[in-house]
Amino acid sequence: MIDLNSYGIGMRFDEETMELTGFKGKRDVRKLEDMRGMFMEPDEGIKDLYYMFRGVDSFDSIRYDVTALLPGMVGEEYIKTKGHYHPDAYPEVYEVMKGKAFYLLQRSDDFESVDDVILVEAEERDIVVIPPHYGHVTVNRGDGVLIMSNLVSSRFSSVYEPYERKKGAAYYITVDGVVRNGNYGSLPHVRRAKPREARDLGVVRNRPLYTSIKNERDAFGYLEESEEYDFSGVFEFE
Ligand SMILES: [Fe+2]
C-alpha cells in the first residue's frame, strides 16, 4: 500500500490491485490495445498501461484526478500516457506523488505544426504547470509505479486526434534517449527543464496541490481563464 495521506487526500494506493482506496468513481484503464498506434514499436507483452481515477474530488468546475502509470517498456519506449491537447487556452497542473516522471510538452496553435518542445523532468513532490496551448504526454521514467495528481477544468474535452494521427508526440522517450517522430514535419529541438515554484499559480514548493486548492481555491482561477496570467516562469531551463 502506498499511503497518500501526506498529499492531503487521506487515500491509499494498492499496488496489488491498482485501486485507489475510497475512490467512489469508476476507474478507467488504458490498455496497450487502446494505444497501439502511439508507440514506435507496439509490443504484445504488456496489457494494462495506466489507470485513471477522475474526479477524486472537485472544486466547482476544477477536477482533482489521480493517475497511476505502470513501470516498464513498450519496445524501446517507457510507458507513457496517450497524449492530448486542450481546446482554447486551458492549462493544467500536475503533481508527482510517487515515482519519477517526464512531462513532454509540445506547443501548437493549430494542432498540426509544433513550435516548441519542452521535456520536464519531475521528481516526487514536484508540481508541473502545463501552460496554455501545450499538448502533453507523461512518461514513467522510474522503475516503480508513477502516481500523479492533477487539477484541471471539467469544462472541456481533451483533443486526442492530433496525437493519434501523428502516432504519438513529437518525440519518443526511449532507453537510448529522445528520438524524433518522423510523422511530424520540421520540429524544434527539445528544451530540457525542471519545474519551478510559481506562487501566483498556486504552486508552492512542498505544499500538496490538494491542500493548496482546499485552502486557496481562487489561486487556481487560471485553470478556467488563463489569459491574464504569466506562465513564463514555470520552468527552469538547462
Ligand atoms: Fe491534459
Side-chain angles (χ1 to χ4, degrees), residues 118-171:
I118 304 173
L119 183 62
V120 186
E121 187 176 334
E123 318 277 340
E124 272 175 32
R125 301 208 173 265
D126 277 348
I127 293 173
V128 177
V129 175
I130 313 294
H133 306 294
Y134 280 84
H136 60 97
V137 161
T138 306
V139 178
N140 183 356
R141 65 183 177 91
D143 47 19
V145 65
L146 167 63
I147 305 176
M148 60 188 185
S149 69
N150 67 278
L151 288 171
V152 68
S153 170
S154 56
R155 290 183 181 164
F156 71 88
S157 293
S158 298
V159 182
Y160 289 92
E161 185 278 332
Y163 278 79
E164 290 167 347
R165 179 163 34 93
K166 301 282 195 186
K167 302 190 179 303
Y171 290 89

Side-chain angles (χ1 to χ4, degrees), residues 45-201:
I46 303 168
K47 290 203 173 77
D48 291 356
L49 299 180
Y50 60 99
Y51 304 87
M52 294 168 282
F53 306 89
R54 290 202 185 95
V56 169
D57 204 347
S58 58
F59 302 84
D60 312 314
S61 57
I62 304 295
R63 215 175 59 224
Y64 179 85
D65 307 322
V66 171
T67 304
L69 281 80
L70 289 171
M73 313 296 296
V74 175
E76 302 290 294
E77 273 182 274
Y78 295 101
I79 287 180
K80 63 183 181 183
T81 59
K82 188 168 183 180
H84 61 237
Y85 291 101
H86 299 171
D88 305 319
Y90 285 101
E92 188 165 2
V93 58
Y94 279 92
E95 169 183 51
V96 177
M97 302 168 115
K98 183 81 184 171
K100 291 171 184 288
F102 280 130
Y103 293 89
L104 179 61
L105 278 52
Q106 59 189 58
R107 211 195 86 86
S108 181
D109 286 318
D110 57 4
F111 299 162
E112 176 64 38
S113 63
V114 169
D115 60 12
D116 191 24
V117 179
I118 304 173
L119 183 62
V120 186
E121 187 176 334
E123 318 277 340
E124 272 175 32
R125 301 208 173 265
D126 277 348
I127 293 173
V128 177
V129 175
I130 313 294
H133 306 294
Y134 280 84
H136 60 97
V137 161
T138 306
V139 178
N140 183 356
R141 65 183 177 91
D143 47 19
V145 65
L146 167 63
I147 305 176
M148 60 188 185
S149 69
N150 67 278
L151 288 171
V152 68
S153 170
S154 56
R155 290 183 181 164
F156 71 88
S157 293
S158 298
V159 182
Y160 289 92
E161 185 278 332
Y163 278 79
E164 290 167 347
R165 179 163 34 93
K166 301 282 195 186
K167 302 190 179 303
Y171 290 89
Y172 298 110
I173 310 299
T174 77
V175 281
D176 298 319
V178 174
V179 175
R180 192 179 177 285
N181 179 346
N183 297 306
Y184 286 77
S186 67
L187 280 176
H189 287 293
V190 177
R191 298 199 289 159
R192 296 190 65 131
K194 294 209 166 134
R196 283 177 64 186
E197 190 172 64
R199 285 178 176 258
D200 50 337
L201 301 174

Side-chain angles (χ1 to χ4, degrees), residues 9-51:
I9 65 166
M11 285 179 163
R12 287 181 299 171
F13 185 79
D14 186 335
E15 283 180 288
E16 310 258 297
T17 61
M18 301 301 278
E19 292 283 358
L20 189 62
T21 62
F23 175 63
K24 302 278 195 298
K26 185 186 167 295
R27 181 187 79 168
D28 275 330
V29 184
R30 191 83 81 194
K31 294 174 177 291
L32 182 59
E33 65 208 50
D34 306 322
M35 281 184 48
R36 189 136 322 256
M38 313 301 289
F39 290 96
M40 289 171 70
E41 314 162 33
D43 188 307
E44 301 300 318
I46 303 168
K47 290 203 173 77
D48 291 356
L49 299 180
Y50 60 99
Y51 304 87

Side-chain angles (χ1 to χ4, degrees), residues 195-221:
R196 283 177 64 186
E197 190 172 64
R199 285 178 176 258
D200 50 337
L201 301 174
V203 175
V204 181
R205 194 166 286 284
N206 291 320
R207 187 195 290 168
L209 271 187
Y210 193 70
T211 307
S212 290
I213 196 163
K214 270 206 305 195
N215 296 337
E216 277 189 282
R217 166 66 183 82
D218 290 351
F220 294 90

